[in-house]
Amino acid sequence: MVEKIDNKFIVDNDYCQQCGTCIGLCTSSAISMCLRDDGVSILSILNEKCINCGMCYDVCPANKKLEVENIYDHIKRMSYCDAYAKDDDIRNLSSSGGVAKTIIVEGLNNGIFDAVYVLKKSDIYPYVEGAYIDKNDGVKYEDIPNSIYHPVMMNLALKKVKKVDKLLIVGTPCQIKGAEEYLKGRCNKLTKVALFCKQQKTLDSTKFIAKLLNTSVDIKKPFSAKYRGDGWPGIIRINKKEIPLENGVAMSMQKRLWTVNGCKICGIPFGDKVDLSLMDPWGGYYKKSDNGITVVVIQSSQGEKILSDLNAHINIEKKSFKQIKRVFILDDIQRKIILIPYFLKEKIRKRILFAGKFNDIQDVFYRNLVEVMPRMPLKIYSILCRVPDIRDLILSVGYLKKKYNQK
């Protein structure tokens, strides 16, 4: 998070969301970046180079209030559908039905967009990078990565974006929020497609999965990792060894381990005023299958038009909120929103303070347990995942219903 203190700009790395926007747009190369072993980049503003323009502060998504008071009312205002790529190979090999890749590739091929700013595969860590691709460059489905479970400074290449008429950006909410003001000045129409994101992971999450596979990952040495694909919910393949996704990420996701610190203060996993949000069909909504689907949250008329324009490539089935409500796991999102003031060290009620402190204690306990202990049978990790969270017990469903009149 970029802050302004005593008329100087500094980075508080405890809240950095790892979008890379400040570095990508700095005109004086005044921000240094040091990569830690867990894949998190530590940023520092060099006073001798800084010209005090304040651009880094203006674009930083972490210093904005990105949350809604009542997630239940917020999400009900939108439209929804199930979607998947009509090309069976793309659907099967992609993370969740191939909708994101199809929007990117076919959107360019069919002139819906003149250019896109997205993640593209790379040969060096983090093995993906932010890339500007216009319709003359061409892009293949295999150029676009599946889900990524380690930090990516996507916006480092923003200055490469050229002025065009219709521009698309696809990324996590913080990546889009950081880039959008700059990109609006580079096009007449900016389309924003957010990848639903409650928590980015540090590379320690991948290290844990590698441990389950009896291999290892070192940021200083080349390694291969493929997250998702091969049906739903898919597989994780590290150094040519693979594990079903649900076994590989259960501890990481369900117990919120190895979460990038800046993600703890973001309360809009669907994105802020975007056109489409693309979600995985969790919550038991979609059973294990050779093919995946994407749950799409339609947030604007522009988002609706994109899906209509691509109906030759994407199969769409409209859904009501009631039909897909369980996908969102809204109680978990609302608990996260409630705890944002705790992580920001603001004044809060005792109940929320206790929930935050016990959340921290649980995080340290589980991380020490699974990192220090030798690899255990997968069934043990499955049992640990079913142990109730103290945070959830304190901020129970009954408490949420009373506070937000949830129906």
Side-chain angles (χ1 to χ4, degrees):
M1 176 196 291
V2 180
E3 299 178 308
K4 188 175 183 179
I5 299 177
D6 296 332
N7 208 35
K8 288 187 177 182
F9 296 98
I10 65 168
V11 177
D12 187 339
N13 284 286
D14 285 341
Y15 300 117
C16 178
Q17 294 175 345
Q18 301 290 291
C19 68
T21 315
C22 58
I23 302 176
L25 294 182
C26 181
T27 59
S28 58
S29 301
I31 305 176
S32 67
M33 179 175 71
C34 178
L35 192 62
R36 293 193 320 207
D37 288 343
D38 65 354
V40 173
S41 295
I42 301 300
L43 310 183
S44 179
I45 297 177
L46 308 174
N47 291 328
E48 63 273 17
K49 290 186 176 182
C50 179
I51 60 174
N52 251 33
C53 68
M55 181 180 290
C56 57
Y57 179 83
D58 292 339
V59 300
C60 178
N63 62 31
K64 313 293 188 297
K65 184 179 174 66
L66 291 179
E67 61 186 89
V68 293
E69 176 64 21
N70 189 331
I71 193 67
Y72 308 105
D73 287 345
H74 178 73
I75 193 64
K76 287 178 183 177
R77 302 188 189 105
M78 303 170 188
S79 302
Y80 320 93
C81 65
D82 287 348
Y84 57 84
K86 289 186 176 180
D87 185 302
D88 288 340
D89 288 336
I90 299 304
R91 183 184 181 189
N92 176 263
L93 295 174
S94 302
S95 295
S96 298
V99 172
K101 292 185 179 183
T102 302
I103 290 174
I104 294 165
V105 176
E106 302 303 337
L108 273 182
N109 290 343
N110 290 276
I112 298 172
F113 312 111
D114 298 314
V116 299
Y117 188 77
V118 294
L119 285 179
K120 188 176 180 181
K121 291 180 182 177
S122 169
D123 293 330
I124 59 174
Y125 184 85
Y127 303 113
V128 291
E129 60 186 358
Y132 170 77
I133 307 168
D134 68 31
K135 57 187 177 183
N136 297 318
D137 295 330
V139 62
K140 300 177 182 177
Y141 281 94
E142 55 265 33
D143 294 334
I144 309 300
N146 284 357
S147 298
I148 303 295
Y149 290 118
H150 53 248
V152 178
M153 306 282 272
M154 172 174 162
N155 291 341
L156 294 178
L158 279 178
K159 288 182 183 177
K160 294 181 180 180
V161 177
K162 301 173 183 177
K163 287 194 174 183
V164 294
D165 184 31
K166 297 171 291 185
L167 179 64
L168 167 70
I169 179 173
V170 180
T172 62
C174 64
Q175 292 165 348
I176 293 175
K177 191 65 179 177
E180 66 176 323
E181 288 305 317
Y182 177 76
L183 295 182
K184 283 178 181 177
R186 312 296 291 174
C187 65
N188 293 320
K189 180 182 288 186
L190 177 64
T191 300
K192 298 174 287 184
V193 176
L195 306 175
F196 179 86
C197 176
K198 286 197 297 182
Q199 46 180 315
Q200 294 183 77
K201 295 300 181 183
T202 71
L203 189 62
D204 287 341
S205 173
T206 299
K207 290 179 180 179
F208 169 68
I209 299 169
K211 179 179 178 177
L212 298 181
L213 292 170
N214 289 317
T215 184
S216 62
V217 167
D218 187 335
I219 202 169
K220 299 183 179 78
K221 300 176 182 178
F223 67 88
S224 63
K226 177 187 177 183
Y227 306 98
R228 312 292 301 281
D230 295 282
W232 168 259
I235 56 95
I236 297 180
R237 185 178 295 118
I238 299 176
N239 296 335
K240 299 183 179 180
K241 296 184 177 183
E242 65 183 53
I243 188 172
L245 177 88
E246 59 268 34
N247 293 334
V249 304
M251 283 297 299
S252 177
M253 294 298 183
Q254 293 183 33
K255 295 304 181 186
R256 302 177 299 280
L257 305 183
W258 308 296
T259 298
V260 171
N261 279 338
C263 296
K264 297 176 182 178
I265 62 169
C266 173
I268 305 186
F270 304 97
D272 181 36
K273 299 176 183 176
V274 298
D275 298 296
L276 296 172
S277 296
L278 309 182
M279 298 180 60
D280 294 327
W282 294 113
Y285 175 74
Y286 189 63
K287 304 302 181 183
K288 190 171 184 177
S289 170
D290 289 340
N291 292 302
I293 64 168
T294 304
V295 176
V296 182
V297 182
I298 305 166
Q299 301 198 42
S300 74
S301 58
Q302 173 64 9
E304 186 87 51
K305 186 176 186 304
I306 291 168
L307 295 179
S308 176
D309 289 345
L310 290 172
N311 63 0
H313 305 280
I314 299 176
N315 191 79
I316 297 167
E317 182 179 349
K318 290 294 183 70
K319 295 289 182 179
S320 68
F321 175 75
K322 185 177 181 180
Q323 286 176 302
I324 62 172
K325 177 181 177 181
R326 57 181 169 171
V327 174
F328 300 117
I329 317 177
L330 293 176
D331 288 344
D332 188 60
I333 298 174
Q334 190 65 67
R335 291 188 190 101
K336 180 184 179 186
I337 292 171
I338 290 172
L339 285 180
I340 288 175
Y342 168 78
F343 291 113
L344 288 173
K345 299 179 175 63
E346 297 174 352
K347 188 175 181 179
I348 51 177
R349 298 200 307 269
K350 285 185 178 179
R351 186 168 190 166
I352 299 173
L353 177 65
F354 289 152
K357 287 188 176 298
F358 278 115
N359 184 82
D360 289 344
I361 292 170
Q362 175 181 277
D363 181 76
V364 172
F365 170 77
Y366 280 119
R367 279 193 291 109
N368 286 337
L369 179 65
V370 300
E371 288 175 353
V372 175
M373 292 287 290
R375 177 185 180 277
M376 297 181 284
L378 292 179
K379 190 170 185 63
I380 300 297
Y381 298 111
S382 179
I383 292 172
L384 290 173
C385 285
R386 290 197 291 269
V387 177
D389 279 5
I390 301 176
R391 178 205 74 165
D392 295 353
L393 295 176
I394 296 174
L395 303 176
S396 63
V397 173
Y399 170 77
L400 294 176
K401 285 183 178 179
K402 181 178 179 181
K403 182 175 175 62
Y404 297 100
N405 297 315
Q406 177 192 354
K407 295 180 180 180

